[in-house]
Amino acid sequence: MDSTQRIKQFINNAFPEWTKVNFSDIEEGIDFKENLSELYRIDNDEIILISYTNISITGSDRPKPQLRVFLDEYKKPFDFAKKHQLRYYLFSIFTKDDEMARGLNNFNPKEFIISIETNLDSEGSRRDLRSIYDYANEKIGNRKFLKCSRNDYKADINQASFIYIGTPDNPYKEMFNNFINIFDSRPYLNSSTSSYNLSTSAVSLDDISISNNPYLRALKTKPFLLLAGISGTGKSRKVKELAYMTCPITSDLADDPTSPGNYCLIEVKPNWHDSTELLGYYSNLSGKYDITPFMKFVYKATRNSNIPFFVCLDEMNLAPVEQYFAEYLSVLETRVLKNGKIESAELLKKELFENYPTHKGDNPLYEGTELEVFNHIRENGLRLPENLFIVGTVNMDDTTHQFSRKVIDRAFTIEMNGDKLPSMFEAEDTLVYPETAIPLNALKPEYVQASDALQSINISPFRELVIENVPTHLNSINEILKDTPFKVSFRVQNELVLYLSTLINEHNPQSNDEVKSLIEEATLVILLEKILPRVQGDEKLLGDTLEDLKEHVETNFNVCKENATYKEVVEKLRQMDQRLKSTYFANFF
């Protein structure tokens, strides 16, 4: 049985719920071999394209034989996947004897699939994959799943993974299923001639790009963001822009020209003093549980797990946030990483819904979407899906409430104060769907705990450097804040490391000096977006704190002095200190 037959047999046996889709259902007259490529409709109704190949292992006298994949046949299905915006997988299995792979420790080639996405846009007839082999020899050990990124090897390969599938007699379904759910192999985003393009949108390239973007970086660290500023600066619009830019035009969510289906605007009211407006309540009068728009949207995000979903809580602080949002704030801190997926505790427990009736006499109490949501919560509870992002807009005036430190501690805060007024004339005042949507991986946090991030492939070579420098920076800031209630602790340090891991993945530093520079930048971001929003008070409380913080930044962050974040931090500290001296009270907002 060759590699192609073995993988097809494994998929058919392990995933009978997957259904094959005819190529003609998508496009007539394809010009590649259907027996080497197949379309599957998988669990979430998404269609993926899988191609199969055999790997040639050469150089049997070498301790690390070369792997060669012949790719001419796979250029056309790759282009098909790119054209129709499908995830694409190229699978193979080692088919030679174990001794041919003796360079890999604890590795039985008959039991592993290799998945490879190569840069097929500029591919020749074959690809030498020796670098994957070298990497696996160093890293795989006894692990049964390995995901690599492009920075881990130098053969110009976007992604490669080893996936344990067991033996024909004992197939191992879970690992393969996790791989399909995690591995976001999209040739229309990753290939060299299909770079991300925002030219069809009115969104500013400076504001919404996959890298070097404060909004995406903050959300990639934690899915709770506050946008603060004076009224009319486009805070809620920014959230809507993010939703447009992440909503695939090919999906059912893009059927409304006025608002994408992955966006939900919730206007906060001043009379909200508990969570019933968001999480509903059981009414004795009607005999049913009131299903809210927020509950429906969370369920919708759960059903579309590959697309980012955005809740915009407009004028979030018109009511006390820690009262109506208490459940979310608590559950947000329960998130854990399991098998590559972030899971949380329940916002609403399923046991609560087991006692609620579904009928009143012979009449059903719930229909349509409400019935789907009710049944889902009864079976699973209502949890925070990893593709859900909450963004609150914040104005500070005499009609709003101050934020408690419980809220500030759990969010990143970005100011939008309308100081770029000419920019509104630089693009059409429209919001449109892009040709290529920003993928979920550009926003979804990869880790929840600093310990996980420190073990990641890109950051692990600098692990000791990070462990030494991050606490040093925070301790220096805490020393200045020691006589105030604004000192920070483990949560902020955890999120500093998570933010740093995002910077390291973006910049791929090669030296300790480069990493130290990124540590400085991450610390400045945490100071600006996590620590300073906590700081408020009069001269008696603050004293020289703000002036000392400004002097500390100017003295100890020399590497970042030309960095925009450095300038923003220094200016914010100057403004806050000036406000303290002129009005005898200072705050961030």
Side-chain angles (χ1 to χ4, degrees):
M1 182 181 294
D2 67 11
S3 174
T4 297
Q5 293 171 317
R6 169 75 178 95
I7 304 171
K8 287 182 178 181
Q9 181 189 70
F10 168 77
I11 291 175
N12 291 333
N13 292 342
F15 303 97
E17 67 275 16
W18 288 13
T19 56
K20 289 186 181 178
V21 177
N22 294 324
F23 283 94
S24 59
D25 292 343
I26 297 179
E27 180 180 320
E28 293 287 350
I30 63 168
D31 57 351
F32 51 87
K33 299 175 183 177
E34 291 192 39
N35 65 317
L36 295 181
S37 297
E38 292 181 318
L39 294 170
Y40 284 99
R41 189 182 300 277
I42 60 175
D43 301 337
N44 60 359
D45 249 8
E46 180 189 9
I47 296 175
I48 63 173
L49 175 56
I50 296 176
S51 292
Y52 310 98
T53 184
N54 291 312
I55 287 181
S56 169
I57 303 182
T58 64
S60 58
D61 294 331
R62 302 178 183 181
K64 298 177 183 177
Q66 298 177 19
L67 283 69
R68 288 178 180 166
V69 180
F70 293 79
L71 295 169
D72 278 348
E73 172 57 35
Y74 305 102
K75 177 69 166 67
K76 291 178 180 178
F78 180 88
D79 289 340
F80 180 92
K82 183 167 66 172
K83 177 180 179 181
H84 297 286
Q85 298 200 342
L86 306 176
R87 283 192 287 161
Y88 176 73
Y89 301 93
L90 176 57
F91 286 140
S92 187
I93 297 181
F94 287 142
T95 55
K96 299 292 185 181
D97 294 335
D98 291 6
E99 64 183 29
M100 294 293 289
R102 59 180 177 268
L104 292 174
N105 298 325
N106 303 305
F107 187 87
N108 182 347
K110 295 186 182 71
E111 297 180 359
F112 280 78
I113 284 179
I114 289 185
S115 171
I116 307 153
E117 181 199 331
T118 56
N119 192 356
L120 287 164
D121 280 335
S122 57
E123 198 55 59
S125 63
R126 72 184 187 187
R127 164 65 73 187
D128 185 342
L129 300 176
R130 190 183 340 182
S131 57
I132 294 180
Y133 221 46
D134 293 341
Y135 183 81
N137 182 47
E138 297 171 2
K139 297 292 185 181
I140 198 168
N142 289 312
R143 286 189 290 173
K144 293 182 177 179
F145 175 74
L146 175 67
K147 178 179 176 183
C148 312
S149 67
R150 185 170 187 156
N151 296 327
D152 299 321
Y153 35 80
K154 307 301 180 185
D156 197 31
I157 302 166
N158 284 338
Q159 300 282 0
S161 296
F162 293 81
I163 315 146
Y164 179 68
I165 63 169
T167 63
D169 295 331
N170 295 289
Y172 194 86
K173 172 181 177 179
E174 182 181 359
M175 199 63 64
F176 188 86
N177 196 34
N178 288 339
F179 176 84
I180 293 294
N181 289 329
I182 296 168
F183 197 76
D184 207 6
S185 180
R186 299 170 188 255
Y188 55 93
L189 288 178
N190 296 339
S191 59
S192 64
T193 62
S194 186
S195 59
Y196 184 70
N197 185 359
L198 292 173
S199 61
T200 61
S201 170
V203 183
S204 166
L205 286 171
D206 292 331
D207 285 343
I208 306 291
S209 62
I210 290 179
S211 62
N212 196 28
N213 180 290
Y215 306 102
L216 298 187
R217 281 178 179 169
L219 290 171
K220 197 168 180 64
T221 305
K222 200 164 190 179
F224 181 30
L225 174 65
L226 302 179
L227 298 181
I230 60 177
S231 181
T233 52
K235 296 183 293 295
S236 57
R237 177 189 173 90
K238 179 62 66 180
V239 188
K240 199 171 187 178
E241 287 176 355
L242 284 168
Y244 267 107
M245 301 314 299
T246 55
C247 185
I249 196 169
T250 55
S251 72
D252 294 337
L253 300 171
D255 60 354
D256 186 344
T258 64
S259 182
N262 61 336
Y263 172 76
C264 179
L265 177 67
I266 297 177
E267 300 92 348
V268 175
K269 305 294 193 301
N271 62 342
W272 287 14
H273 292 283
D274 58 38
S275 61
T276 55
E277 295 291 341
L278 294 176
L279 298 179
Y281 62 94
Y282 180 75
S283 170
N284 288 314
L285 185 63
S286 65
K288 62 181 289 189
Y289 195 95
D290 180 60
I291 307 291
T292 66
F294 178 79
M295 294 168 65
K296 293 177 183 177
F297 191 74
V298 173
Y299 169 73
K300 188 178 181 182
T302 304
R303 294 277 294 171
N304 296 271
S305 59
N306 293 321
I307 298 173
F309 276 66
F310 297 88
V311 174
C312 178
L313 288 173
D314 200 27
E315 304 284 2
M316 188 180 190
N317 58 330
L318 279 178
V321 178
E322 63 276 7
Q323 293 181 22
Y324 73 82
F325 217 38
E327 288 86 348
Y328 173 85
L329 295 173
S330 296
V331 167
L332 185 64
E333 299 306 304
T334 69
R335 296 174 306 134
V336 294
L337 187 67
K338 287 186 178 180
N339 297 320
K341 185 176 182 180
I342 296 175
E343 299 180 0
S344 74
E346 296 163 295
L347 278 170
L348 290 171
K349 296 184 180 299
K350 63 181 180 180
E351 291 81 8
L352 181 66
F353 282 70
E354 290 174 355
N355 300 321
Y356 294 145
T358 57
H359 286 73
K360 193 172 186 178
D362 294 332
N363 298 319
L365 290 170
Y366 307 94
E367 295 180 347
T369 302
E370 284 195 351
L371 179 61
E372 289 183 34
V373 174
F374 183 89
N375 287 335
H376 173 80
I377 298 176
R378 174 176 274 192
E379 294 174 12
N380 307 285
L382 188 68
R383 301 175 186 271
L384 294 175
E386 63 178 357
N387 60 324
L388 180 71
F389 302 89
I390 307 288
V391 184
T393 68
V394 179
N395 293 325
M396 284 297 181
D397 55 38
D398 54 6
T399 68
T400 60
H401 293 260
Q402 292 288 338
F403 283 105
S404 69
R405 286 195 291 278
K406 177 180 179 180
V407 178
I408 294 294
D409 278 354
R410 286 162 170 78
F412 277 75
T413 301
I414 296 178
E415 276 197 296
M416 295 176 60
N417 281 324
D419 53 353
K420 298 180 180 179
L421 292 177
S423 64
M424 70 172 288
F425 303 111
E426 294 173 3
E428 295 179 20
D429 189 24
T430 58
L431 292 169
V432 295
Y433 297 101
E435 290 181 357
T436 303
I438 296 176
L440 176 60
N441 282 356
L443 289 93
K444 186 185 75 173
E446 293 184 51
Y447 311 103
V448 178
Q449 299 298 329
S451 56
D452 295 328
L454 288 170
Q455 300 299 325
S456 64
I457 293 170
N458 285 353
I459 200 173
S460 58
F462 308 103
R463 184 175 184 274
E464 297 305 319
L465 184 68
V466 173
I467 291 175
E468 177 185 350
N469 281 266
V470 166
T472 300
H473 278 297
L474 284 182
N475 284 335
S476 298
I477 292 171
N478 268 346
E479 183 63 25
I480 298 171
L481 298 171
K482 66 181 179 179
D483 295 323
T484 75
F486 309 122
K487 290 175 64 177
V488 296
S489 189
F490 298 113
R491 180 184 290 118
V492 170
Q493 180 169 276
N494 183 72
E495 290 174 14
L496 197 163
V497 174
L498 297 180
Y499 194 94
L500 174 64
S501 71
T502 298
L503 290 180
I504 288 177
N505 285 337
E506 279 184 24
H507 294 277
N508 189 28
Q510 301 297 313
S511 68
N512 286 352
D513 286 342
E514 291 178 23
V515 174
K516 287 180 180 179
S517 175
L518 294 179
I519 292 173
E520 284 193 13
E521 182 177 350
T523 304
L524 288 173
V525 169
I526 292 298
L527 178 61
L528 180 66
E529 299 181 14
K530 298 284 292 185
I531 299 176
L532 289 184
R534 299 158 50 97
V535 176
Q536 62 176 5
D538 57 19
E539 281 189 306
K540 183 177 180 180
L541 176 64
L542 294 176
D544 295 328
T545 298
L546 296 169
E547 190 173 347
D548 290 346
L549 277 173
K550 181 172 176 288
E551 182 179 341
H552 173 74
V553 170
E554 291 174 331
T555 303
N556 295 283
F557 290 80
N558 297 313
V559 178
C560 290
K561 284 201 171 180
E562 298 305 315
N563 186 293
T565 306
Y566 172 89
K567 296 175 182 178
E568 195 172 352
V569 170
V570 170
E571 176 60 18
K572 171 55 72 172
L573 286 166
R574 185 197 67 77
Q575 291 174 0
M576 292 177 69
D577 189 48
Q578 184 180 47
R579 194 177 304 149
L580 179 67
K581 291 174 179 175
S582 60
T583 67
Y584 309 104
F585 187 90
N587 62 0
F588 178 85
F589 299 99

